[in-house]
Amino acid sequence: MELPAVLGLVLLLHLPQIRATQGILHAVGDGVPNTGKDYCITYNSSWTTLPTSYANANYYKLENISSIWLCSESELPRTDLKNKAVVVMVGNCSILDKALIAQSRNAKMLLVASKDGLPRPTDNRSGYESLTIPIAYVKYGDIANMEQDVGRNINVTMYSPSPPLFDYSMLVIFLISVFTVALGGYWSGVSELEDLRPSHNTGESEGGKKKDENVTFTPFTVILFVVICCVMLLLLYFFYKWLVYVIICVFCLASALSMFNCLSALIQYIPYGRCRISCLSKSAEVRLIFLALFCAAISVTWAVFRNEDRWIWILQDILGIAFCLNFIKTLRMPNFKACVILLGLLLLYDVFFVFITPFITKNGQSIMIEVAAGPSGSTEKLPVVIRVPRLEYSAVKLCVMPFSLLGFGDIIVPGLLVAYCRRFDVRFTSSSAYYISCTIGYAVGMILTLVILIILNMGQPALLYLVPCTLLASSLVAWRRKEMKKFWNGGCYEVCIYTVFTLHTLILSALTTPTKRTIVSSDLRCR
C-alpha cells in the first residue's frame, strides 16, 4: 500500500501561481511585423490591459538603455525616447518611478530587465494615477540576445492570448486513465483465473512462476487505509519540503518494482531466452535479471532528471501507469460492500480536502491542490500524478511548461471496483457484463469531470464524479441480473477460496499417496 496519502489527488490543470500576469513580448527586426520571436514577460493586469493578439497591436522601436536604472532624469542619455519602448535595469527604485520618468520623455512602453527571473509587479499604485504607459518585466538575457535573434532595428509589442477552454492534453489524460483502469481490471481477472486453475505441484516449477501474491481488503482495513490517507496528506501539507523526498524515494522503488511485475507478466509468454543462472542455491532466468536492471535504470533516470519538465514527464507517466496497474491487480476487494465503503470514504476525503479546507487554511488555499501542485517556491513536486503538458499555445506555455494532472488515486480507487467486477465475472458469470459496464461508467465519470473542469476552469475532485458513475453502473447490472445479494457479499468469495484451496490440497494428497485410497468430496456452492 505504497503512497497512501495521494490516492485521492484531484484532477486539475496545473497553472503557474502568477498566471494572471504573464504575457508575451513580440519582437520583429527591421520593422517587418510578419516575422519575429516571442519572449515571456510579467505584468500587472490591473495596471495594463494587453490585446489578445499582436496582429493589430501597435509596435514601438526598442531603445535598450539597460545599462542604467532610470531612477532620476539625470541618468537619461541624450537619446530621444519619444514613441519608443524603453528597456532599463531593475533595482534602486520602484518600477513606477522608472515608468514616470520614461513617460515624461514621451516613451510608449517600459520594459524592466531582470537577471534573476521574472518578478511580479506588485508595487503600490496609489499616487501614480497619471501613469498610463504599459510596464512589464523581461529577462535580461532575452534583451541581450534579441538583436541576434531577430536582427537590427527591433520593434516590439506586448500581448496576452486568452487560454483555450479545451486543451488536447485533457484528451490524453482521459485515454491514459481509461486504458489503465481497463487493463488493470483485466489483469486482475487473469490473475483470478490462474488462482482458480489447479496446480500439480506446491512449489515453483522449472521455468514456471509462483502464484501471485495479493492483498485483500476488509471493511476494517478500508477504514484504516482512509485514516492513513488523511494523516499522510496533512503531514505533507505541513512538512512538504522534507516529506517530498521520502515520497520520491518510495515512488522510485515502488514504480520500478511495478514495472518489473508488469513486463515480467508479458515476458512469460515469450518462448525465448529462458536460460537460467544459479547462485547460492537460487536460480533465475537471465532475461528477468536484465529486465530488473532495465526497470531500475528507468527509475533512476527519472529520479536524476525529474525536474527536466520538457521530456521527463514521459518517464513519469510510464512509471505511474505501471504503478497503478500493479496496485489494481495486487489489491483485491472481497465484495461490493467493501468497495462502497472505500469509494464513499475517499469521496468524502476528496471533497473535504478540496472544497472545505479553503475555509480553514490561513491562505484560503485547498490543502489537496496545494499538496498536488506543490507549495509556491518549491522546485520539487510530488511524482504521484499522471501529467501531460498543455498542447495549445499560450503565454503560460511560453513562460513555463504547464501540465494537466491526474492523481493516481483517481485511477486506482475506481480501478479497484473495476477489478472486483472483473473477478466476479470470472467466478460467477460467463460474460464480462460487470467489467464492461463499470469501465464504461468510469469513462463517463471522466468525461463529466473534464466537462465540469472546462466550465468552472478550476481543479476538480475527480472522485466526486467517478464514484457515483462506477457504483451506479455496476449496481444496475447486478440489479438487472438479480444478483445484487451475491454481488454485495462477494458470492461467499472468501469461503469459496478456502473451499477450493482445501479441495486442491486433498486432490494433491491423493495423487501423491497412491498406496492409500482417498475419497474427496466438496460442495462448492455458495449459499
Side-chain angles (χ1 to χ4, degrees):
M1 301 194 312
E2 298 93 342
L3 309 180
V6 287
L7 290 186
L9 284 181
V10 297
L11 173 74
L12 66 152
L13 292 181
H14 172 50
L15 298 179
Q17 297 295 322
I18 56 172
R19 59 185 180 273
T21 60
Q22 288 177 329
I24 296 176
L25 178 70
H26 185 71
V28 296
D30 300 318
V32 182
N34 294 326
T35 60
K37 187 173 181 179
D38 290 336
Y39 303 90
C40 179
I41 59 172
T42 56
Y43 71 102
N44 193 315
S45 56
S46 64
W47 299 353
T48 306
T49 301
L50 298 182
T52 57
S53 171
Y54 65 82
N56 299 317
N58 295 321
Y59 285 81
Y60 303 105
K61 183 176 177 60
L62 186 70
E63 185 66 38
N64 185 1
I65 52 174
S66 56
S67 58
I68 66 173
W69 285 294
L70 195 61
C71 290
S72 66
E73 293 201 15
S74 60
E75 293 183 65
L76 281 173
R78 297 183 179 275
T79 307
D80 183 18
L81 303 182
K82 185 177 182 180
N83 297 329
K84 291 183 179 180
V86 181
V87 182
V88 298
M89 185 59 66
V90 66
N92 275 18
C93 62
S94 167
I95 60 172
L96 298 176
D97 292 329
K98 300 174 188 288
L100 276 179
I101 297 173
Q103 182 173 287
S104 67
R105 292 296 188 93
N106 298 317
K108 293 297 184 180
M109 182 188 301
L110 178 68
L111 299 173
V112 183
S114 172
K115 294 183 179 180
D116 300 320
L118 291 174
R120 182 178 183 178
T122 56
D123 299 54
N124 188 354
R125 187 67 185 265
S126 60
Y128 294 88
E129 289 77 10
S130 61
L131 192 58
T132 58
I133 66 171
I135 310 167
Y137 282 107
V138 65
K139 294 179 181 178
Y140 178 81
D142 290 342
I143 295 296
N145 298 327
M146 194 172 290
E147 184 173 318
Q148 180 180 352
D149 293 337
V150 299
R152 299 178 181 274
N153 300 321
I154 301 171
N155 289 265
V156 297
T157 189
M158 294 192 299
Y159 71 103
S160 181
S162 302
L165 292 178
F166 175 79
D167 188 88
Y168 286 102
S169 61
M170 298 181 189
L171 178 60
V172 178
I173 286 282
F174 171 79
L175 294 176
I176 289 176
S177 60
V178 174
F179 165 79
T180 305
V181 165
L183 184 58
Y186 180 81
W187 190 15
S188 182
V190 172
S191 176
E192 188 78 5
L193 282 173
E194 292 175 352
D195 290 344
L196 292 174
R197 189 176 297 119
S199 176
H200 298 292
N201 50 42
T202 57
E204 183 182 4
S205 62
E206 186 73 21
K209 63 177 182 178
K210 295 181 180 179
K211 288 284 186 181
D212 294 322
E213 296 181 359
N214 300 300
V215 178
T216 301
F217 263 3
T218 64
F220 173 75
T221 54
V222 165
I223 296 173
L224 181 62
F225 179 78
V226 176
V227 171
I228 294 174
C229 285
C230 296
V231 173
M232 288 299 297
L233 186 63
L234 290 174
L235 288 175
L236 278 168
Y237 179 73
F238 290 107
F239 306 104
Y240 185 92
K241 63 179 180 180
W242 295 290
L243 289 181
V244 66
Y245 295 104
V246 177
I247 299 296
I248 288 173
C249 293
V250 174
F251 175 74
C252 288
L253 295 174
S255 61
L257 179 61
S258 298
M259 176 176 281
F260 176 81
N261 290 338
C262 293
L263 296 180
S264 61
L266 296 176
I267 284 181
Q268 296 299 329
Y269 297 99
I270 301 176
Y272 304 104
R274 294 183 179 273
C275 55
R276 306 173 72 89
I277 60 174
S278 300
C279 181
L280 300 176
S281 72
K282 300 284 186 178
S283 66
E285 292 183 359
V286 175
R287 60 182 181 177
L288 293 182
I289 295 176
F290 280 107
L291 178 62
L293 294 175
F294 170 75
C295 295
I298 293 293
S299 182
V300 171
T301 301
W302 174 86
V304 173
F305 299 100
R306 62 184 181 276
N307 292 321
E308 296 290 336
D309 283 342
R310 297 295 171 182
W311 60 274
I312 202 62
W313 62 272
I314 299 175
L315 287 187
Q316 179 170 323
D317 287 355
I318 292 173
L319 292 171
I321 291 171
F323 176 82
C324 293
L325 287 174
N326 190 62
F327 206 106
I328 293 172
K329 176 258 180 184
T330 302
L331 194 60
R332 295 188 173 186
M333 307 304 294
N335 47 49
F336 188 57
K337 176 174 66 177
C339 292
V340 172
I341 294 173
L342 177 65
L343 271 66
L345 289 179
L346 285 178
L347 170 60
L348 296 177
Y349 158 90
D350 227 8
V351 171
F352 175 79
F353 283 105
V354 173
F355 292 132
I356 307 301
T357 54
F359 299 101
I360 303 174
T361 56
K362 292 182 179 180
N363 59 2
Q365 295 294 321
S366 160
I367 288 180
M368 182 75 75
I369 294 181
E370 188 160 336
V371 170
S376 58
S378 175
T379 58
E380 297 292 352
K381 307 296 181 185
L382 286 177
V384 286
V385 291
I386 299 295
R387 58 177 187 161
V388 178
R390 291 178 64 87
L391 304 177
E392 294 290 340
Y393 184 78
S394 67
V396 173
K397 188 174 180 181
L398 179 67
C399 299
V400 295
M401 195 167 187
F403 288 88
S404 296
L405 306 180
L406 182 67
F408 286 176
D410 299 326
I411 297 176
I412 292 175
V413 174
L416 294 175
L417 174 58
V418 174
Y420 169 71
C421 290
R422 179 56 185 161
R423 292 196 311 275
F424 189 86
D425 281 332
V426 168
R427 282 188 172 274
F428 302 107
T429 72
S430 58
S431 66
S432 301
Y434 288 94
Y435 168 67
I436 293 175
S437 63
C438 196
T439 303
I440 293 174
Y442 179 83
V444 172
M446 278 297 300
I447 293 173
L448 183 60
T449 305
L450 294 174
V451 170
I452 300 298
L453 180 69
I454 293 171
I455 294 174
L456 300 182
N457 194 27
M458 62 177 293
Q460 294 296 308
L463 292 182
L464 180 62
Y465 313 100
L466 296 175
V467 168
C469 289
T470 51
L471 290 178
L472 184 61
S474 51
S475 299
L476 285 176
V477 175
W479 174 78
R480 183 70 178 83
R481 296 167 68 97
K482 297 179 173 58
E483 296 174 339
M484 179 57 78
K485 185 175 181 180
K486 181 189 291 187
F487 188 62
W488 178 261
N489 294 316
C492 299
Y493 181 83
E494 294 176 346
V495 175
C496 284
I497 288 180
Y498 177 78
T499 307
V500 172
F501 176 77
T502 304
L503 176 62
H504 290 167
T505 303
L506 292 173
I507 292 174
L508 291 174
S509 177
L511 293 175
T512 54
T513 55
T515 58
K516 297 181 180 180
R517 188 172 182 180
T518 305
I519 300 177
V520 180
S521 63
S522 179
D523 184 5
L524 291 180
R525 291 176 296 174
C526 295
R527 297 180 178 87

